[in-house]
Amino acid sequence: MREQPSSPLHLAIDIGASSGRHILGRVEEGRLVMEEMHRFENRQLRKNGHDCWDMDNLWQGILEGLRACGRAGKIPATIGIDTWGVDFVLLDGEDNLLGDPVAYRDSRTQGVDVGVEALVSPQELYARTGIQKQSYNTIYQLWALKAEHPEQLEQAQSLLMVPDYFNFLLTGEKRQEYTEATTSGLVNAAGRCWDLELIRRLGLPEGLFGKLSPPGTVAGHLRPEIQDTVGFDAAVMLPASHDTGSAFLAVPARDGQAVYLSSGTWSLLGVESPGPVTTEESRQANFTNEGGAWYRFRYLKNIMGLWMIQSIRRELNGTSYVAGRGQLTESARQWSFPELAEEARKAEGFTARVDVDDERFLAPDSMIEAVKGYCQDTAQPVPRTVGQLMQTVYQSLARCYAQAIESLSRLTGQSYTSVNIVGGGCQDSYLNELTAKATGLPVLAGPVEGTAIGNLLAQMVFSGEFASLREARDSVKNSFTIKEVKP
């Protein structure tokens, strides 16, 4: 075994839409030092007519990353898992999975909001939960499941959100973590607990919704058979299990007038608030109040984000794209993200814009055709080159960020001094430039691994490595390069 560093190690298992990673962190002279130990694929499978997560593959990826730590002799004192929100599994009385773990981009929730709204109006639902209406929220997934497979809900003894499920596999203990649960649209914002009156009204099994555990809770230790597999024991601690909750913790802002933007597949733009904002004006603006660590609310707008750029790149790289007679004329090649951004720069005179939050962009068969179709439907110039296509998407994202900040300022009565971007999207210098211009605010970009950093910071604060969140955020500022882009 290799010699352990003097300060305790902590492990963030950060699972995003396309991949998961194991990142070890420790504190050295007030600075956060990190090391990636393992990375694994996250993929979806088509099963029984639905798009589903490959949970077996994710579980094996989690175990392999823990084995990598064991083989290196780098043993974490605590382990924390974060993932995306809204998705869940059901377990029967013997803790076997019931049904398939359906992914949020699946189409099963299309139109089911009508049934929910017949029992609880959108106005009342928002006043109770403060959660932005999205077709894939857990509340609509459960309503869709109730219609398609009522037997699964009847047989279910446990409901676990995705990170809760993996914590259960590691420890044998079932916990429902607060920040992840708030993405469901079933948590009472003021009470910070499951809204049981709402759950009863919807006819959902009340027994599936137990006491919520806040970040900092120790879920348990690794089960003996897991210890044998990975070669060590550790405490499994709940961070902010929702990845956005972790990402917001990594923003090194301190002046109280900073807009936070967690930029990845989704763009989550907002601020931290001591309490929820559940006014009708806020609902109309489609802002959400997600629960955070220390019960700090993330008042934010969920924007389509880099999903559009990622999807276009996959599409261009996967086939020789020919879009009808008015076609994208570039020959087949493998595009990198920087190359796509450079093509967008070259097409800066192109004027078409799209509403990036239009549902046609959620899971289209062709993102390229979806963008072109929107432009055609709104009587705008239709992109005919890769550069024009990318210019349309880039400018539309920046415009959406600016509009969201204007709404945020109006709703909170607060003016803002900067846009602080964390996550993989902070590396997109062109989007950062456009965002600074569109908002008229300086953009502070970094750190890149915002979600994993926030996961680690929560573990470190609750373990006593840092005295407070402010001290932890100061360490981020001192540990990572933060690039400033002026408007």
Side-chain angles (χ1 to χ4, degrees):
M1 300 285 285
R2 300 179 188 176
E3 184 178 351
Q4 289 278 69
S6 56
S7 58
L9 286 167
H10 302 274
L11 178 65
I13 303 176
D14 170 32
I15 307 177
S18 60
S19 67
R21 58 208 62 81
H22 290 60
I23 296 183
L24 281 170
R26 67 180 186 275
V27 182
E28 286 188 358
E29 298 180 349
R31 296 176 65 250
L32 182 61
V33 178
M34 303 198 312
E35 179 183 5
E36 183 176 304
M37 298 301 295
H38 182 60
R39 189 172 286 259
F40 55 99
E41 180 188 12
N42 186 8
R43 62 193 183 206
Q44 293 182 24
L45 306 172
R46 190 71 180 170
K47 297 176 66 178
N48 299 316
H50 293 293
D51 292 323
C52 302
W53 297 110
D54 189 344
M55 300 295 273
D56 290 338
N57 178 70
L58 288 176
W59 175 234
Q60 292 306 314
I62 290 170
L63 290 178
E64 184 52 40
L66 294 175
R67 292 189 195 101
C69 293
R71 289 193 297 268
K74 298 178 178 180
I75 310 304
T78 63
I79 299 167
I81 298 178
D82 69 78
T83 77
W84 63 96
V86 306
D87 288 342
F88 62 92
V89 300
L90 296 176
L91 304 181
D92 65 16
E94 296 181 350
D95 294 329
N96 298 311
L97 282 173
L98 285 165
D100 300 315
V102 178
Y104 64 87
R105 290 192 191 275
D106 183 75
S107 61
R108 69 172 172 170
T109 57
Q110 288 182 359
V112 303
D113 57 327
V114 175
V116 172
E117 290 171 5
L119 297 174
V120 55
S121 70
Q123 294 83 355
E124 182 186 357
L125 183 61
Y126 188 82
R128 300 179 79 104
T129 69
I131 295 300
Q132 175 183 9
K133 182 178 179 180
Q134 302 276 17
S135 62
Y136 46 74
N137 288 349
T138 315
I139 185 173
Y140 302 118
Q141 292 199 46
L142 285 168
W143 192 260
L145 183 65
K146 184 179 177 182
E148 184 180 12
H149 290 294
E151 75 282 359
Q152 292 181 15
L153 283 171
E154 292 168 4
Q155 297 168 22
Q157 296 297 307
S158 305
L159 179 150
L160 296 174
M161 305 298 275
V162 169
D164 300 332
Y165 176 60
F166 290 128
N167 288 331
F168 164 64
L169 293 181
L170 286 174
T171 67
E173 299 291 332
K174 296 174 185 174
R175 303 274 184 171
Q176 294 175 316
E177 191 271 329
Y178 166 70
T179 71
E180 182 78 7
T182 63
T183 70
S184 67
L186 290 166
V187 171
N188 186 281
R192 298 165 182 169
C193 58
W194 294 113
D195 193 322
L196 293 181
E197 180 184 337
L198 174 62
I199 287 164
R200 293 186 197 107
R201 199 185 305 180
L202 295 172
L204 299 173
E206 186 177 337
L208 298 180
F209 304 91
K211 181 180 178 181
L212 295 180
S213 298
T217 301
V218 175
H221 278 253
L222 298 180
R223 292 187 289 121
E225 54 267 44
I226 302 297
Q227 294 180 37
D228 291 343
T229 297
V230 305
F232 62 89
D233 185 24
V236 176
M237 179 182 286
L238 305 183
S241 295
H242 185 216
D243 50 11
T244 311
S246 281
F248 267 43
L249 295 180
V251 176
R254 293 186 61 174
D255 68 358
Q257 293 180 284
V259 173
Y260 297 3
L261 175 55
S262 176
S263 181
T265 300
W266 291 93
S267 290
L268 296 308
L269 185 149
V271 295
E272 288 183 318
S273 172
V277 181
T278 58
T279 63
E280 178 61 13
E281 185 182 14
S282 179
R283 184 189 75 84
Q284 291 286 351
N286 217 16
F287 273 73
T288 201
N289 297 267
E290 294 176 352
W294 295 277
Y295 294 112
R296 299 158 67 96
F297 285 85
R298 300 189 309 283
Y299 186 55
L300 56 84
K301 188 75 174 285
N302 196 341
I303 300 167
M304 194 67 74
L306 302 185
W307 162 251
M308 297 180 71
I309 295 174
Q310 294 163 351
S311 297
I312 289 169
R313 178 175 177 263
R314 281 194 296 270
E315 195 171 341
L316 290 173
N317 289 349
T319 60
S320 176
Y321 182 76
V322 178
R325 298 301 180 189
Q327 63 188 23
L328 292 168
T329 56
E330 279 71 10
S331 60
R333 56 177 288 182
Q334 293 297 301
W335 292 90
S336 67
F337 289 116
E339 287 172 337
L340 290 175
E342 184 57 32
E343 290 301 306
R345 282 185 190 274
K346 295 175 183 177
E348 285 192 339
F350 194 69
T351 59
R353 304 290 182 265
V354 301
D355 175 3
V356 298
D357 289 327
D358 191 294
E359 287 218 350
R360 75 178 75 195
F361 302 126
L362 181 62
D365 293 333
S366 166
M367 185 65 74
I368 294 172
E369 288 298 329
V371 172
K372 293 180 67 179
Y374 185 99
C375 294
Q376 187 168 13
D377 292 347
T378 53
Q380 298 185 82
V382 176
R384 297 184 181 277
T385 68
V386 170
Q388 291 174 351
L389 180 73
M390 299 312 300
Q391 176 66 198
T392 299
V393 173
Y394 268 104
Q395 290 284 0
S396 299
L397 280 171
R399 183 180 68 171
C400 189
Y401 296 162
Q403 291 171 340
I405 292 173
E406 289 174 4
S407 296
L408 188 64
S409 183
R410 184 182 69 255
L411 291 164
T412 63
Q414 174 83 50
S415 60
Y416 298 102
T417 59
S418 63
V419 181
N420 292 249
I421 305 179
V422 298
C426 78
Q427 300 173 95
D428 194 322
S429 59
Y430 185 52
L431 184 55
N432 293 342
E433 292 172 23
L434 293 179
T435 300
K437 290 177 182 177
T439 63
L441 298 174
V443 167
L444 302 174
V448 176
E449 291 284 1
T451 304
I453 291 169
N455 183 326
L456 290 169
L457 292 183
Q459 295 181 59
M460 291 170 173
V461 172
F462 288 115
S463 297
E465 300 288 316
F466 292 113
S468 64
L469 177 58
R470 171 165 287 191
E471 184 178 295
R473 280 177 164 160
D474 283 344
S475 77
V476 174
K477 189 177 297 183
N478 297 329
S479 304
F480 304 97
T481 300
I482 311 296
K483 297 181 179 179
E484 181 173 357
V485 181
K486 295 183 178 180

